[in-house]
Amino acid sequence: MQDFLAGVEPFKRLSLSERQRLSAVSRERRYSKGEMVFRTGDPSDAICIVKSGRVHLMKFLEGGQASTTCVMTSGDTFCCLPALDQKPYPVDAIAATDSIVVRIPTSSFQTLLEKNPVFLKDSLCLFCDRLRQVEHKSCMAYDSVEQRLAQALLTLSKKFGSTIPLTKHELAELASTTVETTIRVLSQLKKQGIIKSSRGSTTIAKPQLLEDLASS
Amino acid sequence: MQDFLAGVEPFKRLSLSERQRLSAVSRERRYSKGEMVFRTGDPSDAICIVKSGRVHLMKFLEGGQASTTCVMTSGDTFCCLPALDQKPYPVDAIAATDSIVVRIPTSSFQTLLEKNPVFLKDSLCLFCDRLRQVEHKSCMAYDSVEQRLAQALLTLSKKFGSTIPLTKHELAELASTTVETTIRVLSQLKKQGIIKSSRGSTTIAKPQLLEDLASS
DNA sequence: TGCCTTTCATGATAGGCGTCATAGATTCCA
DNA sequence: TGGAATCTATGACGCCTATCATGAAAGGCA
């Protein structure tokens, strides 16, 4: 397992012995598709790293709508926030596919933060990235669904490459819209040759045109 | 000036001598209403603290719309992000009123981060708060203008109390909508007795009802 | 004081998008 | 293998909200 951690932020720059100690106290856990990995208000006894599969960070609104804020795949760390400041983390994490998640006890994480300034700095940088990402989406309410979907697809393509293995429903949750509208908009993009679409996946055919749409 | 820093996160827990050294290298600068304090892509030679006045963190979209992501008032620190990871900060900061801003050189900030683990930890906590705030807004696109305005007013009331000294135009930018719609929605809330409204300010009369609206 | 800008306000109109209904195509699973 | 569930797709309808236009009231400035 320390091999796995060697490729994961913010653990990359830990010493071998530190990683080994961390591995010794960590636990792997399997989640089936649809299972909750973390629930709003849970006591945060561990920080989580996706080892395989796909986990979505989501918000559920009172109206019943679901909004996905972040798609986590192999090597992505989440639920660090409450481990740092002991405050609740207001999101739900759900396994979007069968997944394996590595759980590192909060206490071990905190010990490392206190003892290892380099680790603290790397954690800080990881947060800066996350903050930048989220702030980037903060003016989303102004954008049309087409723009929001274009942005979502482009963001996802950094993770998955040009073919994005998400259903239309999952894309809808990322763009904070409905399945029907998502399908309609993507159909238009398909007609224009900008994307290809099939059951359970969408392929970006013309990234440049999609970027134009995203920022227009 | 070290007295001022003593009340500002993340500087509160610095020693007196550390604050004095920081004060010695800091500079105060006045900005007139409408002036740019920080521009997207600026080299980040300093982190900023509002000493008096009001500074808005904004995004300008290609369509010409402006969206305010954050309202900073006395004691609020901003532009820390690029000082931490040397990456660009994709927002514009504009003085919404005549303002005084304290500028601390990035290099001094970085030195402190490296030498003082407590300061690093406090900075980290400050970021956690910011991240939580921004993530909270991430499903905004689902909400109606009424909900977004209600949320904006409630957030602002934590800073300003029940009377919020912003124009309808500024509220519109916070809710990512137009002035006209803002005025129409607020007129309705006024008729229902939930708020009072006058030139340049809005007063929350019934916070509970507003919260119900915000989360419905 | 008078002009000009800003703020607030209201109406008409059109388009975007949510909602509801229907249905074919795939996949899953008992 | 057959039925249920999921995914994709399309149409009709109506509301929300952006846009454009107009105008009154308040404040700033010469």
Side-chain angles (χ1 to χ4, degrees), chain B residues 67-107:
Chain B
S67 173
T68 298
T69 60
C70 209
V71 174
M72 319 296 290
T73 54
S74 179
D76 289 329
T77 310
F78 61 100
C79 285
C80 296
L81 225 55
L84 281 165
D85 59 4
Q86 285 80 48
K87 295 177 189 169
Y89 194 37
V91 302
D92 293 300
I94 294 182
T97 65
D98 292 351
S99 304
I100 299 175
V101 170
V102 175
R103 300 170 59 90
I104 300 178
T106 300
S107 56

Side-chain angles (χ1 to χ4, degrees), chain A residues 62 85 87-88 124 132 215, chain B residues 62 85 88 124 129 132 215:
Chain A
E62 302 212 355
D85 59 4
K87 295 178 190 168
L124 196 59
R132 225 179 290 265
S215 61
Chain B
E62 302 213 355
D85 59 4
L124 197 57
D129 288 341
R132 228 179 288 267
S215 60

